[in-house]
Amino acid sequence: MPGSAERGRPARVVVLVSGSGTNLQALLDAQGTVLESGGRPQGFEVVAVGADRDGIAGLERARRSGVPTFVCRVGEHPSRGEWDRTLTEAVAAHQPDLVVSAGFMKIVGKEFLARFGGRFINTHPALLPSFPGANAVRDALAYGVRVTGCTVHFVDDGVDTGPIIAQGVVEVREEDRADQGAALHERIKEVERVLLVDVVGRLARHGYRIEGRKVMIP
Ligand code: GAR
């Protein structure tokens, strides 16, 4: 993807959510106001927010910011493939340069990856390749790690296996080891929000290329 200068406009970003949407909020807060030049200080603009369910804080955050939303529920489609097709079309309608999975708890399908592969990023609450999947914080605690964190990566056809863009480190405290990981997850999310904004901003402003497993941001 080219950077801001070549593109001549902010990168269009569609964010997918399933829950509280605090990472989405960080992106909404960071995108900043429109400059006189028509640009945005961070080089990106959240143009739509999609979800796989209704009634979540993430959608409310988008609406409060005046960002268009859409909901695409698996259960309302005859098959997972049909759902994937509808989701792909719903996202494509907003012509994104980047798509961000920010707590979106669904695995997308072939059609979605064919359309958005190489410009679809995910934020994950563990230091990949350790602890992929939906219960990363709990799994890391159960394993007994002393250090964990978060990973922002491109999405490929595996579960949390795509090229890594950036990682943030969080120490596990003694008191974390006695609970199910809620406090630790909150500390990870503090780091994650800053990391995600930094990554989306850098990708948008500088552009990037992916060489094998390496992501190069000039
Ligand atoms: C984040 O920690 C994100 O990494 C995680 O859900 C949280 C969403 O928080 N995603 C996954 O676990 C995906 N496997 P938020 O809704 O407050 O942004």
Side-chain angles (χ1 to χ4, degrees):
M1 182 178 94
S4 303
E6 259 179 87
R7 207 175 35 243
R9 57 165 177 78
R12 297 174 62 82
V13 177
V14 170
V15 184
L16 301 177
V17 295
S18 296
S20 63
T22 65
N23 280 283
L24 162 66
Q25 188 68 57
L27 290 169
L28 291 169
D29 292 345
Q31 65 181 348
T33 47
V34 184
L35 302 172
E36 253 176 59
S37 61
R40 297 226 177 206
Q42 284 280 356
F44 69 86
E45 170 183 20
V46 179
V47 293
V49 172
D52 61 332
R53 62 198 76 182
D54 224 328
I56 54 170
L59 286 173
E60 210 29 63
R61 291 174 192 277
R63 290 180 191 127
R64 270 205 304 273
S65 295
V67 173
T69 62
F70 58 89
V71 177
C72 188
R73 298 177 196 82
V74 173
E76 287 177 359
H77 294 79
S79 67
R80 193 76 184 207
E82 289 291 333
W83 170 77
D84 187 51
R85 197 157 308 133
T86 310
L87 181 70
T88 304
E89 291 309 324
V91 171
H94 297 281
Q95 301 181 317
D97 298 297
L98 286 174
V99 183
V100 179
S101 159
F104 186 60
M105 301 307 276
K106 289 280 183 301
I107 306 286
V108 299
K110 282 199 179 82
E111 187 127 350
F112 194 95
L113 287 175
R115 190 82 77 98
F116 301 114
R119 51 192 169 121
F120 181 32
I121 72 174
N122 177 49
T123 177
H124 182 76
L127 293 173
L128 294 170
S130 293
F131 313 113
N135 301 308
V137 180
R138 216 175 57 199
D139 292 348
L141 273 180
Y143 197 87
V145 297
R146 294 300 192 154
V147 166
T148 184
C150 48
T151 302
V152 181
H153 64 98
F154 281 100
V155 180
D156 66 7
D157 59 2
V159 176
D160 302 321
T161 51
I164 290 171
I165 310 167
Q167 296 185 298
V169 173
V170 176
E171 278 190 32
V172 177
R173 292 181 186 159
E174 208 50 45
E175 61 266 27
D176 293 324
R177 309 181 86 219
D179 76 22
Q180 295 299 304
L184 175 59
H185 197 173
E186 280 313 310
R187 296 207 311 286
I188 291 173
K189 282 170 57 166
E190 281 172 24
V191 175
E192 198 175 11
R193 290 188 281 265
V194 176
L195 190 73
L196 183 65
V197 166
D198 178 66
V199 165
V200 173
R202 284 195 294 129
L203 296 175
R205 290 191 303 277
H206 304 304
Y208 63 89
R209 53 180 210 285
I210 305 172
E211 290 175 7
R213 290 209 52 84
K214 308 266 171 62
V215 180
M216 322 295 253
I217 303 175

